[in-house]
Amino acid sequence: MDLTIDHVTVAGRNLDALSTAFSDGELPAEYGGTHSNGATHMSIVGFRDGSYIELVSTVDLSTPSPWWHDPIYGDGGPCAWAIDVEDIDEASETLRDRGIAVEGPIDYERERADGTLVEWELSFLGDEADPGATLPS
């Protein structure tokens, strides 16, 4: 099973501040939109190989985040990582067969600021409260 980094998630209290910090460091961030949970939104720092850094925060600081609550509200920085696999169903089953707890694959989506619908599947490994905190998503 070939594994490549898909993305690394960086959490903070203020998405604009995160985006500005990366852009000031010559890593321009592009707003990606609100997640389907309605509570978090994100920007992307993309790389030529298709991998990216996902900058994430809550849309409204008075709303709890369903994922990465403590890293977001504590300006925690890097909080998760995800790998890309060719066949998520096969990879998930292989990991289950090896005794690793796997939830998924689960379908997700978000709408970009330009109205484009982005869809993907995730499987969550292990039993961490925050996905990708130890084992990748």
Side-chain angles (χ1 to χ4, degrees):
M1 174 180 357
D2 290 333
L3 305 176
T4 57
I5 294 290
D6 184 76
H7 69 279
V8 174
T9 302
V10 175
R13 293 177 59 85
N14 184 307
L15 185 59
D16 288 338
L18 281 172
S19 297
T20 297
F22 275 82
S23 294
D24 287 351
E26 303 298 320
L27 294 169
E30 179 180 338
Y31 185 70
T34 302
H35 290 114
S36 57
N37 62 28
T40 56
H41 61 155
M42 52 86 74
S43 290
I44 292 176
V45 176
F47 300 104
R48 288 185 194 153
D49 67 356
S51 64
Y52 61 95
I53 299 171
E54 175 186 32
L55 308 176
V56 66
S57 188
T58 54
V59 174
D60 176 356
L61 279 175
S62 66
T63 303
S65 176
W67 293 341
W68 312 301
H69 179 86
D70 291 343
I72 287 173
Y73 287 91
D75 275 332
C79 65
W81 60 299
I83 56 170
D84 185 23
V85 296
E86 194 168 308
D87 184 331
I88 193 167
D89 292 306
E90 179 183 326
S92 298
E93 193 58 37
T94 297
L95 292 168
R96 279 187 193 96
D97 290 346
R98 294 179 181 172
I100 296 173
V102 178
E103 180 185 346
I106 302 168
D107 295 324
Y108 287 92
E109 65 182 37
R110 68 176 169 81
E111 187 174 317
R112 291 189 340 199
D114 66 5
T116 302
L117 183 65
V118 180
E119 300 173 293
W120 66 96
E121 292 177 296
L122 285 176
S123 285
F124 301 103
L125 308 182
D127 55 9
E128 295 289 322
D130 285 335
T134 304
L135 296 172
S137 296

